[in-house]
Amino acid sequence: TFAIYDASGNAIARLDGHTNWILRMVASEDGSVLVTAGEDREILVWDLETQTITQRLVSPKHSAAEQLCLVQNDNGQKVLFSGHRDGTVLKWNLATEELEQTLSVFGNRISGMQPIGNRLLVASSSSPNIKFFDLRDGKPIADLPFSDQAIELLQASESTEKLWVGNPSSVQIHELASP
């Protein structure tokens, strides 16, 4: 159970569904959908207007999702990428409620995931590498080393095509080349 508050601190919704801690949440661009990932290994898709669960995604062979990335594909359908503690990145089709693809397996937990425009997904783990995937088909594009330390922070800027990569001691800014 968790509550949603407005800017004044007034509770405007109470959502019941997870049986344990909520680890991550992401909202759709239009604000109509909220996706939450819980310690209970469930990913719940919420309709915020009706305050109800519209989908319950469970990945029984994978650990809890700690990263979520919600994008819209070329057909206008919502696609969810979930990054898990066991190092897997999963691609879910929310129109069919099915797991479409396991994109990659890092050696350890996923520490960050971001879309870059409508063509790339960048993912990091607590290793020194960053992986890039094609958002359309989930195929890996590149696996690049960025530092000699674990990557714990990742932020992509869609408008300027910059990537911020960080760890406890430093942050690097990288310009991304256009295709």
Side-chain angles (χ1 to χ4, degrees):
T1 300
F2 67 100
I4 299 176
Y5 297 88
D6 65 16
S8 302
N10 301 313
I12 57 174
R14 181 181 169 93
L15 304 177
D16 295 313
H18 285 288
T19 59
N20 209 322
W21 294 101
I22 294 172
L23 301 172
R24 182 69 62 183
M25 69 176 80
V26 64
S28 62
E29 282 189 31
D30 63 6
S32 65
V33 173
L34 180 71
V35 180
T36 57
E39 185 74 43
D40 55 11
R41 294 183 12 210
E42 289 191 319
I43 298 171
L44 303 181
V45 181
W46 305 84
D47 178 319
L48 289 178
E49 185 176 327
T50 63
Q51 299 178 13
T52 58
I53 297 169
T54 59
Q55 295 172 350
R56 187 178 297 266
L57 309 173
V58 181
S59 55
K61 295 182 180 180
H62 298 281
S63 59
E66 289 190 340
Q67 300 294 326
L68 296 172
C69 179
L70 185 61
V71 297
Q72 197 163 326
N73 67 15
D74 293 338
N75 299 328
Q77 297 175 325
K78 289 181 176 64
V79 177
L80 177 71
F81 293 89
S82 58
H84 295 258
R85 287 182 178 161
D86 65 358
T88 57
V89 176
L90 305 178
K91 180 181 178 184
W92 302 88
N93 182 328
L94 295 186
T96 63
E97 298 186 33
E98 294 191 12
L99 175 61
E100 280 189 348
Q101 199 172 11
T102 300
L103 299 181
S104 177
V105 178
F106 282 99
N108 40 35
R109 76 176 183 82
I110 304 300
S111 61
M113 260 185 349
Q114 291 278 305
I116 300 175
N118 61 357
R119 66 186 193 281
L120 292 176
L121 175 72
V122 61
S124 64
S125 73
S126 48
S127 73
N129 285 23
I130 299 286
K131 294 189 180 190
F132 293 86
F133 301 93
D134 186 309
L135 275 175
R136 294 165 292 201
D137 59 17
K139 291 184 179 173
I141 296 172
D143 183 352
L144 305 173
F146 271 86
S147 71
D148 59 353
Q149 295 184 20
I151 296 170
E152 295 295 329
L153 307 166
L154 177 70
Q155 182 64 46
S157 172
E158 183 178 335
S159 60
T160 61
E161 297 198 347
K162 289 187 180 184
L163 181 65
W164 288 265
V165 178
N167 56 44
S169 64
S170 68
V171 173
Q172 299 173 1
I173 302 173
H174 299 272
E175 295 280 341
L176 299 174
S178 297

